[in-house]
Amino acid sequence: MSLRVFTGKRGTTAPSVRRGRRWAGALVAAALTALSLNTAGQSSSAATYPNPGVVTGDTGVHDPSMTKRPNGGYLVASTGNDVQLKYSADRIAFRNTGSAFPGGASWTYAYTGNSRNLWAPDLSYHNGQYYLYYAASTFGSNHSAIFLATSPTGDPGTWTNRGLVIASQTSDNFNAIDPNLVVDAQGRWWLDFGSFWSGIKMIALNPSTGLRADTSILSLAGRGGGPIEAPYVFRHGGYYYLYVSFDYCCRGAQSTYRIMVGRSTSVTGPYTDRNGTPMTSGGGTQILAGHGSIHGPGGEGAFADTDHDILDYHYYADNGASFLGINYLSYDSADWPYVS
């Protein structure tokens, strides 16, 4: 895709690109020092953060979501016209393959103001097919919707619209963007989502359809209306980890996005940070923030690969363009994650 520099705003006053095999020695040692956290959950020094791992090719993305193909290779979906798609055989070299909806997604236009720009897709593989949850909205509005599409291959033009999952209106206290599907240890399906307003929400899904199962809405995290978005729930060991992006994206090299995490033994929470602060009360332990020429990392996701758990995200370069970042997720002796 052509590289897009986002300058608009998504939440109430602001909105919400996802390694190479060379992380060892000094990088791991540096990452270990990031475990020293202050009360606000921030690293004691930005110098403790590793740079993104080596990726090559077409790596210009925003709000990336990466999944491993069952027959090998990796797919990435990202924000852009008709949902942008990329492929990598080795998690290093990436190429653009097109878009999910090359003919457009007219069913979303009522929420996008007829724009083809669709946001923050969530890509995963279940039951022999790929699931793509994605958001339709305009900057600064919570007149928003999350839709689902499925595909047998994940290739451009093979996606079938499965319909609306959840929408929000100006009368609601939440924003239906930034979706993420999580399947819990019992096989139940959930969708976490949200941006600004009252924060991060969760709804139950019907595994047979991928659509909403009931009318309940759970609250997972919030900052009293402040900037929190891009939730991603990832299960590792005995915990569910809720990753979110704090502060502001879409400002190029001036973006202040940073990746925070909390955890719970239940997929529905309550989630708390390393200091025990509930994420519904603004809690969150920082694991990655801007450093050097890496600005505003966020829009994150995670998945388990054969060699390691992987964190994928976007960040901004000095020229304001957004790119794919990939790092290992490692865990300390207390099972708290850190970026390596």
Side-chain angles (χ1 to χ4, degrees), residues 173-175 193-201 221-223 225-226 228:
N173 69 349
F174 64 93
N175 194 6
F193 62 92
S195 171
F196 287 75
W197 274 268
S198 60
I200 307 306
K201 306 300 182 182
R223 301 182 74 193
I228 179 174

Side-chain angles (χ1 to χ4, degrees), residues 86-276:
K86 298 185 189 298
Y87 171 77
S88 174
D90 57 6
R91 214 173 64 201
I92 297 174
F94 290 83
R95 61 180 175 84
N96 179 47
T97 61
S99 64
F101 312 112
S106 59
W107 55 90
T108 67
Y109 293 170
Y111 296 93
T112 66
N114 295 322
S115 169
R116 296 175 68 162
N117 191 27
L118 299 172
W119 295 352
D122 179 74
L123 181 64
S124 59
Y125 185 83
H126 306 277
N127 302 331
Q129 61 182 341
Y130 293 91
Y131 285 74
L132 182 70
Y133 291 89
Y134 57 96
S137 189
T138 57
F139 288 119
S141 170
N142 73 328
H143 176 60
S144 310
I146 293 169
F147 292 87
L148 169 64
T150 62
S151 166
T153 64
D155 296 330
T158 66
W159 292 91
T160 299
N161 173 32
R162 299 301 183 187
L164 176 71
V165 182
I166 186 171
S168 58
Q169 309 297 333
T170 55
S171 57
D172 291 316
N173 69 349
F174 64 93
N175 194 6
I177 66 171
D178 293 2
N180 163 236
L181 168 65
V182 56
V183 179
D184 70 19
Q186 290 73 47
R188 299 174 300 179
W189 286 34
W190 307 88
L191 191 77
D192 51 280
F193 62 92
S195 171
F196 287 75
W197 274 268
S198 60
I200 307 306
K201 306 300 182 182
M202 175 175 275
I203 57 174
L205 300 178
N206 182 335
S208 297
T209 65
L211 301 178
R212 192 171 180 181
D214 56 41
T215 59
S216 63
I217 300 181
L218 306 174
S219 292
L220 302 186
R223 301 182 74 193
I228 179 174
E229 52 193 6
Y232 198 97
V233 175
F234 178 67
R235 180 162 59 96
H236 173 89
Y239 293 102
Y240 295 91
Y241 295 88
L242 172 57
Y243 294 91
V244 295
S245 295
F246 274 15
D247 299 339
Y248 301 96
C249 91
C250 312
R251 300 179 174 186
Q254 283 68 54
S255 298
T256 57
Y257 246 15
R258 50 195 175 106
I259 300 175
M260 314 293 288
V261 69
R263 72 184 186 189
S264 174
T265 55
S266 169
V267 69
T268 57
Y271 288 88
T272 58
D273 66 16
R274 192 181 186 105
N275 298 314

Side-chain angles (χ1 to χ4, degrees), residues 18-20 23 50 53 66 68 74 91 232-241 243 261 287 301-313 325-332 335-340:
R18 275 185 187 313
R19 153 208 133 171
W23 306 315
M66 183 181 296
K68 190 171 183 178
Y74 302 83
R91 214 173 64 201
Y232 198 97
V233 175
F234 178 67
R235 180 162 59 96
H236 173 89
Y239 293 102
Y240 295 91
Y241 295 88
Y243 294 91
V261 69
I287 65 165
F303 67 98
D305 210 342
T306 52
D307 60 339
H308 227 278
D309 286 352
I310 303 297
L311 180 73
D312 53 283
Y313 57 95
I326 307 179
N327 287 85
Y328 284 149
L329 274 176
S330 298
Y331 301 85
D332 67 14
D335 286 330
W336 281 99
Y338 61 93
V339 178
S340 58

